[in-house]
Amino acid sequence: MSLEIFLSDLKLSKHQAVLEELGYDDVADYGNMDNDAVLEFESALKSKGVPPGHAGKLSRAVKAERGKAAPAPPQTEPEIKPQTRGGRARAQPPASAGSKRARNDPAASEPSGGAKKTKAEPTKQTAAEKRAVAAAAKKAEAAEAAAAKKAEAAEAAAKKKS
């Protein structure tokens, strides 16, 4: 997006010359500005005579561009492991690069494009995900009960033949 369109959308086209003079003429760079850079941006605008309300509006628009700069990686659904510890199935998080699962899973070991490794933020489960986990646990318990019942029946049949 050009600076002209960016400012036009905000109805602040009259400040284009100031932004160009200050070196803020590339809207693509706005997505890479951290909080300190945005504060510096707003301060520079005010020092050039941009009214505080307009400078604040521009700062908010720059912050909004940050969300557009690098799309978040797609969410993967948690793997349901029908392990019944205490009678409940547990959702397994995606494999981390150093885990045994990652070493055995080629998809988990793909490079991240040179991105800096950071700790994964824990995500909250939605109600639908909680219901899915509960349904998987219930299904796993039912399968275990059926297997146990089948094993008992086979054992009883074997005793009967003897």
Side-chain angles (χ1 to χ4, degrees):
M1 174 188 310
S2 72
L3 180 61
E4 185 177 352
I5 293 171
F6 178 77
L7 292 172
S8 174
D9 289 347
L10 297 170
K11 296 182 171 93
L12 296 175
S13 296
K14 62 184 173 185
H15 300 300
Q16 183 170 347
V18 173
L19 287 167
E20 289 173 346
E21 180 185 335
L22 292 170
Y24 296 110
D25 55 342
D26 189 357
V27 177
D29 291 338
Y30 295 172
N32 299 321
M33 293 173 71
D34 62 9
N35 286 337
D36 291 336
V38 174
L39 289 173
E40 184 179 312
F41 169 81
E42 187 172 352
S43 176
L45 291 174
K46 290 176 185 175
S47 74
K48 289 292 185 176
V50 174
H54 290 183
K57 187 174 185 179
L58 284 164
S59 293
R60 287 188 299 278
V62 166
K63 288 178 183 177
E65 287 296 310
R66 285 193 294 200
K68 299 174 187 175
Q75 284 278 348
T76 57
E77 293 194 24
E79 179 182 320
I80 306 299
K81 185 176 180 182
Q83 176 183 358
T84 55
R85 184 179 209 191
R88 295 181 181 193
R90 300 183 309 183
Q92 297 295 316
S96 64
S99 71
K100 286 183 182 179
R101 282 183 41 222
R103 283 181 253 147
N104 294 331
D105 182 6
S109 62
E110 290 177 1
S112 60
K116 185 177 171 183
K117 290 184 181 181
T118 59
K119 288 186 177 180
E121 291 289 324
T123 57
K124 292 184 179 180
Q125 277 187 328
T126 64
E129 290 170 332
K130 288 178 183 179
R131 286 191 300 270
V133 170
K138 193 172 185 179
K139 191 173 184 179
E141 288 175 12
E144 281 183 30
K149 192 172 184 179
K150 190 174 182 179
E152 287 176 14
E155 192 177 310
K159 282 184 181 180
K160 212 176 203 184
K161 285 185 180 181
S162 320

Coordinates of all heavy atoms in Angstrom, one line a residue, residues 10-63:
L10 N -7.1 7.3 6.1 CA -7.2 7.9 7.4 C -7.7 9.4 7.4 O -7.9 10.0 8.4 CB -5.9 7.9 8.1 CG -5.3 6.5 8.4 CD1 -3.9 6.7 8.9 CD2 -6.1 5.8 9.4
K11 N -7.9 9.9 6.1 CA -8.3 11.3 5.9 C -7.3 12.3 6.5 O -7.6 13.3 7.1 CB -9.7 11.6 6.5 CG -10.8 10.8 5.8 CD -12.1 11.1 6.3 CE -13.2 10.5 5.5 NZ -13.7 9.2 5.8
L12 N -6.0 11.9 6.3 CA -4.9 12.7 6.8 C -3.8 12.9 5.7 O -2.6 13.0 6.0 CB -4.2 12.0 8.0 CG -5.1 11.8 9.3 CD1 -4.4 11.0 10.3 CD2 -5.5 13.2 9.9
S13 N -4.3 13.0 4.5 CA -3.4 13.2 3.4 C -2.5 14.5 3.5 O -1.4 14.5 3.0 CB -4.2 13.3 2.1 OG -4.8 12.1 1.8
K14 N -3.0 15.5 4.2 CA -2.2 16.7 4.3 C -0.9 16.5 5.1 O -0.1 17.4 5.0 CB -3.1 17.8 5.0 CG -3.5 17.5 6.4 CD -4.4 18.6 6.9 CE -5.0 18.2 8.3 NZ -6.0 19.3 8.7
H15 N -0.7 15.4 5.7 CA 0.5 15.2 6.5 C 1.5 14.3 5.7 O 2.6 14.0 6.2 CB 0.2 14.5 7.8 CG -0.7 15.3 8.7 ND1 -0.4 16.6 9.1 CD2 -1.9 15.1 9.2 CE1 -1.3 17.1 9.9 NE2 -2.3 16.1 9.9
Q16 N 1.3 14.1 4.4 CA 2.2 13.2 3.6 C 3.6 13.8 3.5 O 4.6 13.1 3.7 CB 1.6 13.0 2.2 CG 2.4 12.1 1.4 CD 1.8 11.6 0.1 OE1 0.6 11.9 -0.1 NE2 2.5 11.0 -0.8
A17 N 3.7 15.1 3.3 CA 5.0 15.8 3.2 C 5.8 15.6 4.5 O 7.0 15.4 4.4 CB 4.8 17.2 2.8
V18 N 5.1 15.8 5.6 CA 5.8 15.6 6.9 C 6.4 14.2 7.1 O 7.5 14.0 7.5 CB 4.9 16.0 8.1 CG1 5.5 15.7 9.4 CG2 4.5 17.5 8.0
L19 N 5.5 13.2 6.8 CA 6.0 11.8 6.9 C 7.2 11.5 6.0 O 8.1 10.9 6.4 CB 4.8 10.9 6.6 CG 3.8 10.8 7.7 CD1 2.5 10.1 7.2 CD2 4.3 10.1 8.9
E20 N 7.1 12.1 4.7 CA 8.2 11.8 3.8 C 9.5 12.5 4.3 O 10.6 12.0 4.2 CB 7.8 12.3 2.4 CG 6.8 11.4 1.8 CD 6.2 12.0 0.4 OE1 6.4 13.2 0.1 OE2 5.6 11.2 -0.3
E21 N 9.3 13.7 4.8 CA 10.5 14.5 5.3 C 11.1 13.7 6.5 O 12.4 13.7 6.6 CB 10.0 15.9 5.8 CG 11.1 16.7 6.4 CD 10.6 18.1 6.9 OE1 9.5 18.5 6.5 OE2 11.2 18.6 7.8
L22 N 10.3 13.1 7.4 CA 10.8 12.4 8.5 C 11.4 11.0 8.1 O 11.9 10.3 9.0 CB 9.8 12.3 9.6 CG 9.3 13.6 10.3 CD1 8.1 13.3 11.1 CD2 10.5 14.1 11.1
G23 N 11.1 10.6 6.9 CA 11.6 9.3 6.5 C 10.6 8.1 6.7 O 11.0 7.0 6.6
Y24 N 9.4 8.5 7.0 CA 8.3 7.4 7.2 C 7.5 7.3 5.9 O 6.2 7.3 6.0 CB 7.4 7.8 8.4 CG 8.2 7.8 9.7 CD1 8.4 9.0 10.4 CD2 8.6 6.6 10.3 CE1 9.1 9.0 11.6 CE2 9.3 6.6 11.5 CZ 9.5 7.8 12.2 OH 10.2 7.8 13.4
D25 N 8.1 7.2 4.8 CA 7.4 7.2 3.5 C 7.1 5.8 3.0 O 6.4 5.6 2.0 CB 8.2 7.9 2.5 CG 9.6 7.4 2.3 OD1 10.1 6.7 3.2 OD2 10.2 7.7 1.3
D26 N 7.5 4.7 3.7 CA 7.3 3.4 3.2 C 6.4 2.7 4.2 O 6.8 2.3 5.3 CB 8.6 2.6 3.1 CG 8.4 1.2 2.4 OD1 7.3 0.9 2.1 OD2 9.4 0.6 2.2
V27 N 5.1 2.5 3.9 CA 4.1 1.9 4.7 C 4.5 0.5 5.1 O 4.1 0.0 6.2 CB 2.7 2.0 4.1 CG1 1.6 1.3 4.9 CG2 2.3 3.4 3.8
A28 N 5.2 -0.2 4.2 CA 5.6 -1.6 4.5 C 6.4 -1.7 5.7 O 6.4 -2.7 6.4 CB 6.3 -2.2 3.3
D29 N 7.2 -0.6 6.0 CA 8.1 -0.6 7.2 C 7.3 -0.5 8.5 O 7.7 -0.8 9.6 CB 9.1 0.5 7.2 CG 10.1 0.3 6.1 OD1 10.3 -0.9 5.7 OD2 10.8 1.2 5.6
Y30 N 6.0 0.0 8.4 CA 5.2 0.3 9.6 C 5.0 -1.0 10.4 O 4.9 -1.0 11.6 CB 3.9 0.9 9.3 CG 4.0 2.3 8.7 CD1 2.9 3.0 8.3 CD2 5.2 3.0 8.7 CE1 3.0 4.3 7.7 CE2 5.3 4.3 8.2 CZ 4.2 4.9 7.7 OH 4.2 6.2 7.2
G31 N 4.9 -2.1 9.7 CA 4.6 -3.4 10.3 C 5.7 -3.9 11.1 O 5.5 -4.8 12.0
N32 N 6.9 -3.4 11.0 CA 8.1 -3.8 11.7 C 8.4 -2.9 12.9 O 9.4 -3.1 13.6 CB 9.3 -3.9 10.8 CG 9.1 -4.9 9.7 OD1 8.5 -6.0 9.9 ND2 9.5 -4.6 8.5
M33 N 7.6 -1.9 13.1 CA 7.9 -1.0 14.2 C 7.4 -1.5 15.6 O 6.3 -1.9 15.7 CB 7.2 0.4 13.9 CG 7.8 1.1 12.7 SD 6.9 2.6 12.2 CE 7.3 3.7 13.6
D34 N 8.4 -1.5 16.5 CA 8.0 -1.9 17.9 C 7.4 -0.7 18.6 O 7.3 0.4 18.1 CB 9.2 -2.5 18.6 CG 10.3 -1.6 18.9 OD1 10.2 -0.4 18.6 OD2 11.4 -2.0 19.3
N35 N 7.0 -0.9 19.9 CA 6.3 0.1 20.6 C 7.2 1.4 20.8 O 6.7 2.5 20.7 CB 5.9 -0.4 22.0 CG 4.7 -1.3 22.0 OD1 3.9 -1.2 21.0 ND2 4.6 -2.2 23.0
D36 N 8.5 1.2 21.0 CA 9.4 2.3 21.2 C 9.5 3.1 19.9 O 9.5 4.3 19.9 CB 10.8 1.9 21.6 CG 10.8 1.3 23.0 OD1 10.0 1.7 23.8 OD2 11.8 0.5 23.3
A37 N 9.5 2.4 18.7 CA 9.6 3.1 17.4 C 8.3 3.9 17.2 O 8.3 5.0 16.6 CB 9.9 2.1 16.3
V38 N 7.1 3.3 17.6 CA 5.9 4.0 17.4 C 5.8 5.3 18.2 O 5.3 6.3 17.8 CB 4.7 3.1 17.6 CG1 3.4 3.8 17.6 CG2 4.7 1.9 16.7
L39 N 6.3 5.2 19.5 CA 6.3 6.4 20.3 C 7.3 7.4 19.7 O 6.9 8.6 19.7 CB 6.8 6.0 21.7 CG 5.8 5.2 22.6 CD1 6.5 4.7 23.9 CD2 4.6 6.0 22.9
E40 N 8.4 7.0 19.2 CA 9.3 7.9 18.5 C 8.7 8.6 17.3 O 8.8 9.8 17.1 CB 10.6 7.2 18.1 CG 11.7 8.1 17.5 CD 12.9 7.2 17.2 OE1 13.4 6.4 18.0 OE2 13.4 7.4 16.0
F41 N 7.9 7.7 16.6 CA 7.2 8.2 15.4 C 6.2 9.3 15.8 O 6.2 10.4 15.2 CB 6.5 7.0 14.8 CG 5.5 7.3 13.7 CD1 5.8 7.5 12.4 CD2 4.1 7.2 14.0 CE1 4.9 7.7 11.4 CE2 3.1 7.5 13.0 CZ 3.5 7.7 11.7
E42 N 5.4 9.0 16.8 CA 4.4 10.0 17.2 C 5.1 11.3 17.7 O 4.6 12.4 17.4 CB 3.5 9.4 18.3 CG 2.3 10.2 18.7 CD 1.4 9.5 19.7 OE1 1.5 8.3 19.9 OE2 0.5 10.2 20.2
S43 N 6.1 11.2 18.5 CA 6.8 12.3 19.0 C 7.4 13.2 17.8 O 7.3 14.4 17.9 CB 8.0 11.9 19.9 OG 8.7 12.9 20.4
A44 N 8.0 12.5 16.8 CA 8.5 13.2 15.7 C 7.4 14.0 14.9 O 7.7 15.1 14.5 CB 9.2 12.3 14.8
L45 N 6.3 13.4 14.8 CA 5.2 14.0 14.1 C 4.7 15.3 14.9 O 4.6 16.4 14.3 CB 4.0 13.1 14.0 CG 4.1 11.9 13.1 CD1 2.9 11.0 13.2 CD2 4.3 12.4 11.6
K46 N 4.6 15.2 16.2 CA 4.2 16.3 17.0 C 5.3 17.4 16.9 O 4.9 18.6 16.9 CB 4.0 15.9 18.5 CG 2.8 15.1 18.7 CD 2.7 14.6 20.1 CE 1.6 13.6 20.4 NZ 1.6 13.1 21.8
S47 N 6.6 17.1 16.9 CA 7.6 18.1 16.8 C 7.6 18.8 15.5 O 8.1 19.9 15.4 CB 9.0 17.4 17.0 OG 9.4 16.7 15.9
K48 N 7.0 18.3 14.5 CA 6.9 18.9 13.1 C 5.5 19.6 13.0 O 5.2 20.1 11.9 CB 7.0 17.9 12.0 CG 8.4 17.3 11.8 CD 9.3 18.5 11.3 CE 10.7 17.9 11.0 NZ 11.5 19.0 10.4
G49 N 4.8 19.7 14.1 CA 3.6 20.5 14.1 C 2.3 19.7 13.7 O 1.2 20.3 13.6
V50 N 2.4 18.4 13.7 CA 1.2 17.6 13.4 C 0.3 17.7 14.7 O 0.9 17.4 15.8 CB 1.5 16.2 13.1 CG1 0.3 15.3 13.0 CG2 2.3 16.1 11.8
P51 N -0.9 18.0 14.7 CA -1.8 18.1 15.9 C -1.7 16.7 16.6 O -1.7 15.6 16.0 CB -3.2 18.4 15.3 CG -3.0 19.0 14.0 CD -1.7 18.3 13.5
P52 N -1.8 16.8 18.0 CA -1.7 15.5 18.7 C -2.8 14.5 18.4 O -2.5 13.3 18.4 CB -1.9 16.0 20.2 CG -1.5 17.4 20.2 CD -1.8 18.0 18.8
G53 N -4.0 14.9 18.0 CA -5.0 14.0 17.7 C -4.7 13.3 16.4 O -4.9 12.0 16.3
H54 N -4.1 14.0 15.4 CA -3.7 13.4 14.1 C -2.5 12.4 14.4 O -2.5 11.4 13.8 CB -3.4 14.4 13.1 CG -4.6 15.2 12.6 ND1 -4.5 16.1 11.6 CD2 -5.9 15.1 13.0 CE1 -5.7 16.6 11.4 NE2 -6.6 16.1 12.2
A55 N -1.6 12.9 15.2 CA -0.4 12.0 15.5 C -0.8 10.7 16.2 O -0.3 9.7 15.9 CB 0.6 12.8 16.4
G56 N -1.8 10.8 17.1 CA -2.3 9.6 17.8 C -3.0 8.7 16.8 O -2.8 7.5 16.9
K57 N -3.8 9.3 15.9 CA -4.5 8.5 14.9 C -3.5 7.8 14.0 O -3.7 6.6 13.7 CB -5.4 9.4 14.1 CG -6.4 8.7 13.1 CD -7.3 9.7 12.5 CE -8.4 9.0 11.6 NZ -9.3 10.0 11.0
L58 N -2.5 8.5 13.6 CA -1.4 7.8 12.8 C -0.7 6.7 13.5 O -0.4 5.6 13.0 CB -0.4 8.9 12.3 CG -0.9 9.8 11.1 CD1 -0.1 11.0 11.0 CD2 -1.0 9.0 9.8
S59 N -0.4 7.0 14.8 CA 0.2 5.9 15.6 C -0.6 4.7 15.7 O -0.1 3.6 15.6 CB 0.6 6.5 17.0 OG 1.5 7.5 16.9
R60 N -1.9 4.9 16.0 CA -2.8 3.7 16.1 C -2.9 2.9 14.7 O -2.9 1.7 14.7 CB -4.2 4.2 16.5 CG -4.3 4.6 18.0 CD -5.7 4.8 18.4 NE -6.3 5.9 17.7 CZ -6.2 7.2 18.0 NH1 -5.4 7.6 19.0 NH2 -6.9 8.1 17.3
A61 N -2.8 3.7 13.6 CA -2.9 3.0 12.3 C -1.6 2.3 12.1 O -1.6 1.2 11.5 CB -3.1 4.1 11.2
V62 N -0.4 2.8 12.5 CA 0.8 2.1 12.4 C 0.8 0.8 13.2 O 1.2 -0.2 12.8 CB 2.0 3.0 12.8 CG1 3.3 2.2 13.0 CG2 2.2 4.1 11.8
K63 N 0.3 0.9 14.4 CA 0.2 -0.3 15.3 C -0.7 -1.3 14.6 O -0.4 -2.5 14.7 CB -0.4 0.1 16.7 CG 0.6 0.8 17.5 CD 0.0 1.2 18.9 CE 1.0 2.0 19.7 NZ 0.4 2.4 21.0

